[in-house]
Amino acid sequence: MLDDRMAAAPRFAPPPSPWPADYPEGYAVVDVETTGLARDDRIVSAAVYQLDARGAVQDHWYTLVNPQRDPGPVWIHGLTADVLAGAPLFADIAGELAGRLDGRVLVAHNAVFDWSMLAREYARARSAAPVRQRLCTIALSKELGLPLPNHKLESLAAHYGVVQQRAHHALDDARVLAETFQPSLHAAAAGGLRLPLLACRPLAEWSDTPRAAIGYQRSYRQTGWRPSRKRPACPYPNPGRYEPGGQLVQGMRVAFSGDTSIDRELLEDQATEAGLHVATSVSRLTSLLVTNDPESFTSKITKARSFSTPVIDEAAFTQLLRDVAAAPNR
């Protein structure tokens, strides 16, 4: 566990005045470490920094969580099965965590992921997280036009001069995020920027079936009916095809074919939040097709071949999502 000095209150600049009346009254900066990225993966640690309306730290909290399964990428989060064996189950800490989230906007780096993992854990516990809105710090940094080389947390930290002491430890990542969110929030308020808030909808689709081994992510087929979700129109023009070896660019049209190890809805949400246009079919305008089975003969893959549309797998796509270039002439 981190030394409490690592969880000290961040150094904040004075907030602008007047403050926008339509900004939230409080925030919960969240980071979770998990056994993986798929629907059956579990949380192994969680941290929350409670901030007031202007980003000042009110409290912080951290806990390990026993996932009741293989801990996954220990080489990333450092939490072994022995360390987690005596930790509380998520159901045991769900109430306390809910109290720290209640009435606040959830803030996270790639917030759709942290929210989805929390929502599924609450669904397993036959409950629901008291969160109505989330704010992604990646989206906020893009709205602010911060001159970042990429959208990794370490780059955002470096921009604001925040020292990251232990990457992929939930408490330190949450601290770093709190320290970087506050000046971003002040910059947004000073510029009269509308915060990129998104609604949080409880998730009911989850699995308790663990993966067979470390590093293996099972895929999921749609076995039941799911209401269609109408996504907002992409605000960026289509910049054209993805160039292999290059970056994704906001406005690119991305289509998916076949099974994905990450829940398809989560993957599409990540693409949308990054500024990509999620397409339901492949046409001459499609920038990229993502599939884990490029040799199959689905209609999308067949069309992609006929149009010479670039095709990459899910792993490569998720790597590219970490560093999506801003739309040109924006």
Side-chain angles (χ1 to χ4, degrees):
M1 187 171 293
L2 293 178
D3 187 297
D4 197 50
R5 288 173 295 178
M6 295 180 69
R11 296 168 282 110
F12 290 145
S17 184
W19 195 257
D22 59 347
Y23 273 30
E25 296 182 359
Y27 304 89
V29 177
V30 172
D31 186 77
V32 298
E33 296 300 319
T34 68
T35 61
L37 304 174
R39 185 182 310 180
D40 63 350
D41 279 299
R42 306 294 302 271
I43 290 175
V44 295
S45 65
V48 180
Y49 264 76
Q50 292 178 307
L51 310 184
D52 67 13
R54 301 195 178 197
V57 173
Q58 298 172 304
D59 192 16
H60 65 266
W61 174 83
Y62 169 77
T63 185
L64 297 176
V65 181
N66 185 342
Q68 299 180 286
R69 52 164 295 172
D70 187 289
V74 175
W75 57 92
I76 295 178
H77 54 59
L79 300 174
T80 65
D82 289 343
V83 169
L84 296 172
L89 304 180
F90 186 86
D92 298 330
I93 59 95
E96 184 173 3
L97 176 56
R100 295 176 181 276
L101 300 175
D102 194 18
R104 298 173 183 269
V105 170
L106 184 149
V107 177
H109 206 64
N110 191 15
V112 66
F113 174 75
D114 294 79
W115 161 247
S116 297
M117 295 303 297
L118 285 169
R120 289 197 178 94
E121 290 287 11
Y122 273 100
R124 292 185 184 98
R126 303 297 189 269
S127 185
V131 178
R132 298 293 174 266
Q133 291 181 306
R134 66 178 184 267
L135 189 156
C136 180
T137 48
I138 296 176
L140 180 57
S141 65
K142 290 181 178 180
E143 291 292 335
L144 290 171
L146 300 182
L148 304 176
N150 54 55
H151 292 286
K152 296 179 181 179
L153 179 57
E154 60 207 59
S155 298
L156 187 60
H159 175 75
Y160 285 117
V162 176
V163 178
Q164 190 170 25
Q165 300 182 30
R166 190 173 170 187
H168 301 298
H169 188 293
L171 182 59
D172 195 49
D173 280 354
R175 175 192 61 81
V176 169
L177 196 57
E179 291 197 28
T180 57
F181 175 64
Q182 198 273 354
S184 291
L185 178 64
H186 287 185
L193 183 71
R194 184 184 180 92
L195 295 178
L197 302 175
L198 293 176
C200 288
R201 300 179 180 85
L203 301 179
E205 295 183 5
W206 50 272
S207 170
D208 278 328
T209 305
R211 293 170 291 174
I214 293 177
Y216 170 77
Q217 289 187 333
R218 52 182 300 170
S219 60
Y220 296 89
R221 294 183 182 277
Q222 295 298 328
T223 56
W225 177 83
R226 176 196 286 174
S228 61
R229 290 177 57 199
K230 185 175 181 180
R231 297 180 180 278
C234 182
Y236 310 109
N238 187 351
R241 293 283 177 85
Y242 164 72
E243 294 293 335
Q247 282 183 288
L248 293 174
V249 179
Q250 289 179 326
M252 282 186 171
R253 297 173 67 96
V254 178
F256 299 89
S257 178
D259 291 346
T260 54
S261 59
I262 302 175
D263 177 25
R264 173 69 68 80
E265 187 172 296
L266 171 58
L267 196 59
E268 292 178 348
D269 279 349
Q270 291 175 334
T272 299
E273 290 197 359
L276 302 176
H277 178 148
V278 175
T280 57
S281 61
V282 173
S283 71
R284 296 183 186 278
L285 298 177
T286 305
S287 305
L288 179 68
L289 177 66
V290 179
T291 179
N292 289 326
D293 189 11
E295 301 306 317
S296 65
F297 292 94
T298 67
S299 61
K300 290 181 181 178
I301 293 175
T302 300
K303 286 183 178 179
R305 289 172 180 161
S306 68
F307 297 140
S308 298
T309 301
V311 177
I312 64 173
D313 64 19
E314 178 186 355
F317 179 69
T318 54
Q319 287 293 324
L320 290 170
L321 271 182
R322 299 177 181 179
D323 188 17
V324 177
N329 301 321
R330 183 171 177 242

